[in-house]
């Protein structure tokens, strides 16, 4: 069966450090992998999308890598700030349907 | 431009009742998807519509239905509500295929008592 796993439920880091989140998937052959941020009681907010033929994508302090051989994506938040505290979700798009991982809750300590 | 608008924001219903939730997508977006979010199951796909046609449907019972209107606005309906239907229902819109990301609304929090 298809699975999307985000390795950590929670990640606590010091302000200024880099947070690294992992997303692994099985039994998918995604053309696109997306990352979202969700704050409590709100809908997810789209952050970044990476295509299967792209190894890395950057947007401001965010960086995403995509390794289709390992079936893994890494999401990095550099120079983290308390405002980055949220739940981060990876999602695979297939046939107009997003399948989400359970999410990793990041807490950045000042 | 205005985001995805979902109404109502909160809803309390009794078991056995039915409920209709509404979603207005971003202007110009013709694809509307619905998701259910619960603490135990996370985000689960319900269905997706494009130009009034359902293109995909998740593994939910037939009590869950949806439709899309010609102006791209969408509604979802849940009949014969059960306690387990209590969840945050999220609507998302995109331009076409979703290959450029989805914009989610703030959701409707449904509580079934």
């Amino acid at each position: 069966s298809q699975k999307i796993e985000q390795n950590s439920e929670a990640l606590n880091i010091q302000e200024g450090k880099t947070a690294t989140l992992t997303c692994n998937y099985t039994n998918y052959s995604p053309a696109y992998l997306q990352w979202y941020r969700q704050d409590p009681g709100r809908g997810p907010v789209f952050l970044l999308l990476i295509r299967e033929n792209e190894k890395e994508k950057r947007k401001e302090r965010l960086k995403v890598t995509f390794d289709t051989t390992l079936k893994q994506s890494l999401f990095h938040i550099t120079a983290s700030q308390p405002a980055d505290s949220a739940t981060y979700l990876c999602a695979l798009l297939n046939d107009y349907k997003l399948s989400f991982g359970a999410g990793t809750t990041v807490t950045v300590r000042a | 431009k205005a985001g995805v608008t979902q109404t109502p924001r909160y809803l309390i219903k009794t078991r056995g009742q039915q409920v209709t939730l509404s979603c207005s997508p971003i202007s110009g977006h013709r694809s509307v998807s619905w998701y259910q979010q619960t603490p135990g199951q996370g985000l689960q796909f319900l269905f997706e519509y494009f130009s009034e046609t359902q293109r995909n449907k998740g593994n939910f019972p037939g009590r869950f239905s949806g439709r899309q209107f010609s102006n791209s606005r969408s509604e979802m309906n849940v009949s014969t509500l059960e306690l387990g239907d209590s969840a945050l229902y999220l609507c998302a819109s995109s331009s076409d295929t979703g290959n450029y990301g989805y914009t989610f609304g703030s959701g409707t929090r449904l509580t079934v008592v």
Side-chain angles (χ1 to χ4, degrees):
Chain A
S1 63
Q2 296 176 326
K3 273 189 182 178
I4 301 169
E5 292 182 334
Q6 293 188 243
N7 285 21
S8 305
E9 280 190 16
L11 185 64
N12 295 298
I13 60 170
Q14 186 73 36
E15 182 176 8
K17 301 293 186 184
T18 296
T20 298
L21 286 63
T22 305
C23 176
N24 294 290
Y25 59 92
T26 55
N27 295 326
Y28 277 102
S29 296
Y32 303 86
L33 188 145
Q34 306 183 12
W35 283 89
Y36 290 80
R37 166 188 173 138
Q38 187 173 27
D39 292 286
R42 308 298 300 271
V45 174
F46 173 73
L47 296 175
L48 279 169
L49 174 150
I50 188 164
R51 295 175 173 78
E52 61 178 343
N53 60 350
E54 298 176 317
K55 296 294 184 190
E56 183 180 298
K57 200 83 166 279
R58 290 175 187 262
K59 178 183 176 183
E60 298 172 354
R61 295 183 295 108
L62 306 179
K63 184 177 88 170
V64 172
T65 62
F66 193 13
D67 188 325
T68 54
T69 302
L70 290 178
K71 296 187 181 297
Q72 181 182 83
S73 175
L74 298 180
F75 178 84
H76 307 271
I77 307 171
T78 60
S80 60
Q81 304 168 359
D84 295 326
S85 298
T87 297
Y88 292 85
L89 302 151
C90 72
L92 299 180
L93 180 64
N94 183 46
D95 202 15
Y96 315 113
K97 165 188 168 182
L98 278 173
S99 297
F100 287 89
T104 297
T105 299
V106 174
T107 303
V108 181
R109 304 186 308 274
Chain B
K1 55 184 173 183
V4 176
T5 303
Q6 290 189 247
T7 57
R9 188 76 175 88
Y10 301 94
L11 208 49
I12 299 175
K13 288 286 189 178
T14 304
R15 267 183 304 174
Q17 287 187 313
Q18 74 156 17
V19 67
T20 299
L21 311 181
S22 179
C23 172
S24 293
I26 286 177
S27 178
H29 281 187
R30 295 161 66 190
S31 168
V32 174
S33 308
W34 289 89
Y35 292 82
Q36 180 196 66
Q37 187 171 31
T38 59
Q41 298 297 316
L43 275 154
Q44 301 284 315
F45 172 78
L46 281 156
F47 23 67
E48 189 266 1
Y49 289 90
F50 180 82
S51 293
E52 301 178 72
T53 299
Q54 187 182 86
R55 296 194 293 191
N56 201 348
K57 187 178 189 303
N59 296 323
F60 279 82
R63 301 186 295 108
F64 292 80
S65 63
R67 59 178 176 168
Q68 186 181 34
F69 302 96
S70 58
N71 61 358
S72 294
R73 192 177 69 85
S74 177
E75 288 180 348
M76 68 163 281
N77 185 277
V78 188
S79 62
T80 320
L81 284 165
E82 300 176 0
L83 295 178
D85 296 333
S86 295
L88 181 66
Y89 289 88
L90 293 158
C91 168
S93 77
S94 72
S95 56
D96 180 5
T97 60
N99 294 342
Y100 299 95
Y102 287 81
T103 303
F104 282 81
S106 292
T108 294
R109 171 72 64 185
L110 172 65
T111 302
V112 182
V113 298

